[in-house]
Amino acid sequence: LRSCSPGRARRTNASRRACLVARFGDIYAQERLDAETLLRTHISDMEMVQRIIYIAAVESFHAAKMAYRQFKIRVRETLSLGHSGPESLEDTVLDYIVRHEDLYDVQASVNEVIRSMNINPKISFPPEIDFIVISTLIRELCRVAFSMQTLAPPLDIAFGTDGELFSETKYRRSFHSDFTAALVAYHVWPALMENDVVIVKGEAVTKR
């Protein structure tokens, strides 16, 4: 009898997690600022620019998680036909997804994000410009969000609402915040969560 051993995905979970958390930080430091610079050439209102980027991040995670669920269903249906072990079907499915993440149709997710942003009432854009100008940021966020779903436990971003009580454990205040204000006026970047615990702080603006 072959012994049951953890699948490749589980064995590499810690190293993949560390890489993805670092990549999320890199996107905040690089692609986010690049997107900000691009948007500022079209929009003078810094608050609107930051709202657009935050909503792009939220929508990217939503689209990637939906795509992951659909991808996983298709893989499970295919592999279940000939699965015999020794790993469980779930482990086999996860291993396959981790090895074949390049099969993720990231462009479909990017298109979905841009569609969602076009109908979001909180953000507006000059009619002659399209949110596609920040597609590099959206693509990288979708990729990292998709990969984060293959972790055990998966990583996700915190849900944020305008006017919520500012949380020191969840966010840093942006430098142009009112540091005495208790409520979030708007969010700049989402916090990264694991099992409802913050592992990377987001950024928010507080105002009275």
Side-chain angles (χ1 to χ4, degrees):
L1 287 174
R2 288 177 294 180
S3 62
C4 261
S5 61
R8 182 173 181 271
R10 295 193 189 282
R11 290 196 307 274
T12 60
N13 194 74
S15 59
R16 290 187 297 110
R17 179 188 181 279
C19 287
L20 289 167
V21 170
R23 182 69 190 117
F24 185 75
D26 290 344
I27 293 172
Y28 169 79
Q30 187 61 58
E31 282 89 347
R32 178 186 69 93
L33 294 180
D34 292 345
E36 204 173 86
T37 302
L38 275 169
L39 290 173
R40 288 303 299 273
T41 63
H42 305 292
I43 303 169
S44 58
D45 179 7
M46 188 60 174
E47 178 179 330
M48 182 57 69
V49 166
Q50 291 182 325
R51 281 182 179 274
I52 287 170
I53 289 172
Y54 175 75
I55 287 168
V58 171
E59 292 293 347
S60 294
F61 265 78
H62 178 70
K65 286 190 295 180
M66 290 289 289
Y68 178 79
R69 281 197 287 271
Q70 291 161 3
F71 189 74
K72 190 175 183 181
I73 287 167
R74 291 197 303 273
V75 171
R76 187 189 291 115
E77 284 174 352
T78 303
L79 295 184
S80 64
L81 300 173
H83 179 71
S84 60
E87 293 177 3
S88 69
L89 177 60
E90 281 306 298
D91 277 357
T92 306
V93 167
L94 195 56
D95 284 354
Y96 180 91
I97 295 171
V98 168
R99 283 198 306 270
H100 298 93
E101 282 187 54
D102 56 312
L103 297 179
Y104 165 42
D105 186 358
V106 68
Q107 187 57 48
S109 289
V110 172
N111 296 343
E112 185 59 39
V113 171
I114 290 170
R115 267 197 300 274
S116 298
M117 291 176 72
N118 281 330
I119 58 171
N120 192 305
K122 285 188 178 179
I123 51 176
S124 58
F125 215 35
E128 68 276 11
I129 309 298
D130 193 280
F131 287 120
I132 201 163
V133 297
I134 58 166
S135 59
T136 299
L137 171 71
I138 294 168
R139 176 174 280 100
E140 292 310 306
L141 282 164
C142 285
R143 279 202 180 111
V144 82
F146 184 91
S147 295
M148 283 176 173
Q149 304 316 299
T150 69
L151 298 173
L155 303 184
D156 201 357
I157 52 173
F159 178 74
T161 55
D162 293 352
E164 70 178 320
L165 193 65
F166 178 78
S167 166
E168 292 280 0
T169 59
K170 202 180 277 187
Y171 301 107
R172 290 185 302 273
R173 279 185 171 89
S174 281
F175 70 94
H176 50 285
S177 293
D178 177 343
F179 279 71
T180 62
L183 301 180
V184 172
Y186 64 94
H187 298 81
V188 175
W189 194 249
L192 191 64
M193 312 283 285
E194 182 180 64
N195 280 344
D196 298 324
V197 176
V198 177
I199 57 171
V200 179
K201 282 187 179 185
E203 186 178 330
V205 174
T206 53
K207 289 181 182 175
R208 288 191 179 281

